[in-house]
Amino acid sequence: MGFARGERVRMMIARLCALSLIATSLFCAAAAHAEDGYRLWLRNAPLADAAQHKSATVTLIGSDSPTARLARDELQRGLAELRLASTAAITLRKLATPAQREGAFRVNGAKISSASDIGLLYGAFALLRELGQGKPLASIKLDEAPAYTLRMLNHWDDPDGHVERGYAGRSIFDWWHLPDRVDVRMTDYARANASVGINGVVINNVNARAMMLEPRYIAKAKALADRFRPWGIRVYVSARFSAPRDIGGLTTADPLDPAVRAWWKAKTDELYAAIPDFGGFLVKANSEGQPGPQDYGRSHADGANMLAAAIGARGVVIWRAFVYAAENKEDRAKQAFTEFQPLDGKFASNVIVQVKNGPIDFQPREPFHPLFGAMPKTQLAIEFQITKEYLGFASHLAFLAPLFEEVLDADTGRGGTVAEKVSAIAGVANTGSDRNWTGSDFDQANWYAFGRLAWNPRLPSDQIAREWAALTFSRDPAFLRAVVPMMLGSREAVVDYMTPLGLAHVMGTGHHYGPAPWVADLDRPEWNPVYYHRADRDGIGFDRTGTGSDALAQYAPDVAKRLLADEELLLWFRHVPWDYRMSSGRTLWEELPRRYDRGVATVDRMGVTWAEQAPHIDAQRHRAVADFLKIQAHEARWWRDASLAYWSAISGRALPPGHAAPTHPLNWYQAQRFPEAPGQ
Ligand code: GCV
């Protein structure tokens, strides 16, 4: 039976449409699974091919809360994506016995149990993490509890979408469209955080705008809090101390003024009415031009306690100890200790003093901050920087777990390690609007490492690197054998080519991009690199012993001895002649170029190692990493050349034999300008 011409054309069109629908959906499916970094370490790459794939069932017992249901859904989704080769029946059981620390869980093969809903979710993620590395289900036995109750990210995001020290695009929060539009990405962001146990998020910059406390911004914060809540994440806000004046119509922000206290109490009540589980305030006060209690002759404790009284038992005030002042002639490295240590015991019980990991500012290497262990009557949090303001931004591969580990494991000499002396942990986030979240694929590892160490500060860096690399890229043993050591050596490479042997803060003005050890003309003395290295014809380094600023005396005596003997911190603590004899037998002047060269050589090797991984990695991410490694190799040379050109000029010494001369004369490096560098 023949068809009429019109009918044939209609059928052809229908067939073409069907074909194009199939093609489109195939394309869409491929695009949805394109390896562009969006799926982070939660890719659940298949363990078996589709034919071997066996079914998995998940049973949830004892709770039907949104969080418990997320745990079940996460497992269902994860197991389906992982495609286990043997049948699995997983049970998620909420126990009736409270007692465990919030978030604690047990995994015994196919059985996950916890006394809390969030513990079930953490247990689900933990099981998937183990399975994702290729471990057999029956062999997985975990019994975990978080070391700290507060494990938080600090976003330095501004309401206009700019991120201070952000190298991953714009703010991850779509401030302008909130609260009406809450991007689906907010769910994925909360999920990623929950997968590593992060349970608090400060949503705005510590250099805070008072508008964050206005009703329209409280509505935006509420929308985020509602989205994050099922994932066990509480929202915190950075509060501008002068808000009662800026937006409250008062003439003062004096923390002892009754009207100011009443204003904060009412504002806090307004926040809790909108967000019943609001976490509290983070405050940067009297630091780098921010307002604070000292503007009224009051102490940091007066300021923090006033806010703590407004919040009461509902939340916490996190008060930053990152303070230093231009008018203060004291060594910048000493100022926070001088200011805060005498206040020990004066803070309210819901105040946490947040201290940066080192006494200056997130340098590639610093000794631990002397406040750790020195304020036994105060709750302390440690603040790390996950975004790499001083470590090459997003384009330099620097795995930060070894830096975090070095600080957390440091013995304070006051009855415990740094990890043991803090009760909370914060990381300055490196996330942004970029599709891959963190600007580079490898910077995802730093978000991951922060979360894992916040959960368990005893985890070794190599375990974290191995987990992350297996989940994010490939569980192939050959790949891991090559890439894990590459990651572990990467931060030391940055130290070598930027700030070897205890040098610090020699980066470009403002943006902190690239080398500028020669800068000496900035208004505030402590913003000039020359303040930190003090190099002249005779020698180099900051004397922080008894003959200098005596910052060493802020540490316990045994620790001070140890720090002084540590050559990696030589120029942090001592001013020494260029001919100073190192333990290697070489002079300092001979040792310095070796360090720079070692850093450059390590980065070159990283490039080769990565090139060899092409068979293991999808083309898109492989190329993205390779491109950044090229930038890093180029910039490591730039750092080496510019630094050596300057040290050579200032010491009046030619480079020791065997070291290549810098590519350009010193004035070429000095003339470089990058007003457009990101993150300022
Ligand atoms: C948010 C350094 C950074 C600033 C940052 C400050 C801080 O100085 O360069 O961008 O400001 O630390 O931690 O408050």
Side-chain angles (χ1 to χ4, degrees):
M1 194 170 68
F3 288 103
R5 189 164 180 271
E7 183 64 323
R8 275 207 305 273
V9 170
R10 263 199 305 279
M11 282 177 65
M12 221 159 76
I13 291 174
R15 261 193 225 119
L16 277 174
C17 285
L19 276 176
S20 86
L21 259 181
I22 293 169
T24 311
S25 51
L26 279 177
F27 172 78
C28 290
H33 291 99
E35 294 283 14
D36 56 10
Y38 187 82
R39 292 191 295 161
L40 296 161
W41 50 87
L42 298 166
R43 290 163 60 250
N44 296 319
L47 289 154
D49 61 33
Q52 290 175 297
H53 178 206
K54 297 284 185 320
S55 64
T57 54
V58 182
T59 312
L60 173 60
I61 301 164
S63 176
D64 192 35
S65 74
T67 302
R69 277 186 266 132
L70 282 179
R72 182 197 57 206
D73 297 349
E74 200 58 50
L75 275 174
Q76 263 158 358
R77 164 187 177 162
L79 294 168
E81 288 175 340
L82 279 168
R83 293 196 205 142
L84 298 190
S86 50
T87 307
I90 313 271
T91 316
L92 273 163
R93 184 184 300 274
K94 174 138 176 224
L95 304 170
T97 47
Q100 291 171 312
R101 176 171 273 203
E102 170 100 54
F105 62 83
R106 283 210 174 118
V107 177
N108 188 355
K111 295 193 186 81
I112 302 175
S113 58
S114 172
S116 59
D117 294 318
I118 189 66
L120 293 180
L121 183 61
Y122 293 155
F125 278 121
L127 178 61
L128 291 170
R129 179 188 307 133
E130 300 296 304
L131 289 171
Q133 292 171 70
K135 300 186 188 161
L137 177 61
S139 74
I140 300 171
K141 305 229 178 321
L142 305 168
D143 185 355
E144 299 197 5
Y148 307 116
T149 46
L150 189 50
R151 310 173 292 279
M152 58 179 357
L153 287 184
N154 291 183
H155 286 272
W156 287 357
D157 295 22
D158 296 325
D160 65 0
H162 173 261
V163 182
E164 184 157 347
R165 312 307 176 187
Y167 312 106
R170 308 278 296 164
S171 173
I172 197 166
F173 307 120
D174 182 7
W175 293 106
W176 186 248
H177 295 114
L178 282 166
D180 297 326
R181 179 176 179 275
V182 186
D183 197 300
V184 64
R185 208 169 164 155
M186 291 297 91
T187 302
D188 294 340
Y189 163 79
R191 174 174 174 250
N193 278 329
S195 76
V196 288
I198 289 168
N199 68 351
V201 173
V202 183
I203 55 179
N204 64 307
N205 194 349
V206 285
N207 291 329
R209 303 281 298 272
M211 71 162 75
M212 293 300 301
L213 297 169
E214 286 176 354
R216 71 193 176 100
Y217 269 88
I218 292 179
K220 293 172 196 276
K222 171 185 164 39
L224 293 175
D226 289 346
R227 183 61 70 89
F228 297 165
R229 188 169 297 111
W231 299 95
I233 294 168
R234 289 171 83 175
V235 156
Y236 299 69
V237 167
S238 291
R240 186 168 172 84
F241 197 77
S242 56
R245 260 184 26 202
D246 302 338
I247 58 167
L250 302 184
T251 53
T252 177
D254 181 349
L256 300 193
D257 184 295
V260 170
R261 299 176 78 86
W263 187 87
W264 279 110
K265 176 72 172 62
K267 184 52 69 182
T268 309
D269 290 347
E270 188 185 338
L271 273 157
Y272 277 99
I275 310 170
D277 58 351
F278 177 62
F281 295 125
L282 172 65
V283 186
K284 171 176 177 177
N286 293 119
S287 168
E288 299 186 332
Q290 295 301 308
Q294 292 179 333
D295 302 346
Y296 306 94
R298 314 297 184 195
S299 73
H300 283 281
D302 292 331
N305 293 345
M306 180 268 294
L307 291 176
I311 287 192
R314 298 174 291 187
V316 292
V317 173
I318 304 165
W319 194 269
R320 293 176 89 225
F322 178 68
V323 297
Y324 64 101
E327 316 73 60
N328 193 341
K329 295 279 171 286
E330 190 179 42
D331 174 4
R332 174 175 166 185
K334 292 181 71 176
Q335 292 184 30
F337 186 100
T338 305
E339 186 79 50
F340 276 81
Q341 201 286 327
L343 296 176
D344 187 28
K346 303 224 158 53
F347 289 98
S349 59
N350 60 336
V351 172
I352 300 173
V353 173
Q354 183 163 297
V355 182
K356 285 193 181 181
N357 63 270
I360 300 279
D361 195 11
F362 301 135
Q363 297 302 296
R365 170 164 283 123
E366 294 190 36
F368 71 87
H369 201 298
L371 276 173
F372 296 121
M375 295 186 71
K377 291 181 247 152
T378 307
Q379 292 194 78
L380 296 184
I382 186 166
E383 177 179 322
F384 288 113
Q385 195 181 47
I386 310 173
T387 189
K388 304 203 311 298
E389 173 182 355
Y390 296 99
L391 286 99
F393 300 180
S395 41
H396 289 214
L397 195 166
F399 178 53
L400 298 181
L403 187 163
F404 301 160
E405 187 183 3
E406 182 176 297
V407 178
L408 290 166
D409 286 355
D411 181 4
T412 62
R414 294 181 164 122
T417 63
V418 170
E420 288 160 354
K421 292 293 169 186
V422 299
S423 52
I425 181 161
V428 180
N430 65 349
T431 47
S433 59
D434 279 5
R435 179 73 188 160
N436 68 6
W437 301 90
T438 54
S440 82
D441 291 285
F442 268 92
D443 276 321
Q444 297 175 358
N446 294 327
W447 181 8
Y448 182 87
F450 170 76
R452 296 289 286 134
L453 285 166
W455 179 269
N456 178 3
R458 290 174 198 269
L459 278 182
S461 296
D462 60 345
Q463 180 185 328
I464 299 171
R466 182 169 299 278
E467 285 176 3
W468 177 81
L471 299 169
T472 305
F473 285 122
S474 165
R475 56 177 85 89
D476 187 304
F479 169 80
L480 294 173
R481 268 198 306 277
V483 167
V484 169
M486 177 186 95
M487 291 172 71
L488 293 174
S490 58
R491 175 266 187 148
E492 203 60 39
V494 176
V495 172
D496 278 345
Y497 63 73
M498 285 190 188
T499 54
L501 298 171
L503 287 170
H505 224 302
V506 286
M507 293 77 185
T509 302
H511 45 60
H512 301 150
Y513 170 68
W518 45 81
V519 171
D521 58 355
L522 304 178
D523 288 349
R524 290 178 61 152
E526 79 287 7
W527 281 353
N528 289 293
V530 296
Y531 172 93
Y532 297 95
H533 62 68
R534 307 195 164 205
D536 59 19
R537 211 167 175 80
D538 301 324
I540 179 170
F542 198 129
D543 182 4
R544 293 193 164 105
T545 68
T547 55
S549 80
D550 209 14
L552 257 181
Q554 293 181 335
Y555 292 93
D558 283 355
V559 172
K561 257 191 239 148
R562 195 186 73 222
L563 292 172
L564 199 56
D566 184 351
E567 279 193 347
E568 300 310 318
L569 293 169
L570 177 69
L571 305 177
W572 184 283
F573 285 114
R574 298 182 63 184
H575 184 86
V576 293
W578 296 103
D579 286 326
Y580 174 82
R581 193 61 64 186
M582 307 289 296
S583 60
S584 62
R586 289 183 281 274
T587 66
L588 171 65
W589 182 239
E590 289 162 344
E591 189 69 31
L592 260 183
R594 293 175 76 96
R595 296 297 179 113
Y596 287 108
D597 284 346
R598 188 172 75 179
V600 171
T602 305
V603 176
D604 285 346
R605 271 201 311 279
M606 285 158 61
V608 173
T609 302
W610 187 252
E612 289 165 358
Q613 306 316 311
H616 298 289
I617 313 287
D618 50 283
Q620 185 171 338
R621 290 186 302 164
H622 188 265
R623 192 173 49 247
V625 172
D627 286 349
F628 274 178
L629 281 168
K630 265 188 244 148
I631 296 176
Q632 186 174 7
H634 169 74
E635 293 185 354
R637 277 188 176 72
W638 168 37
W639 265 97
R640 176 231 181 247
D641 285 358
S643 306
L644 285 175
Y646 176 67
W647 305 134
S648 186
I650 200 128
S651 66
R653 290 162 185 250
L655 277 188
H659 299 283
T663 314
H664 302 284
L666 176 59
N667 59 8
W668 185 91
Y669 298 107
Q670 290 174 320
Q672 303 305 307
R673 295 283 179 276
F674 307 94
E676 77 287 20
Q680 295 181 67

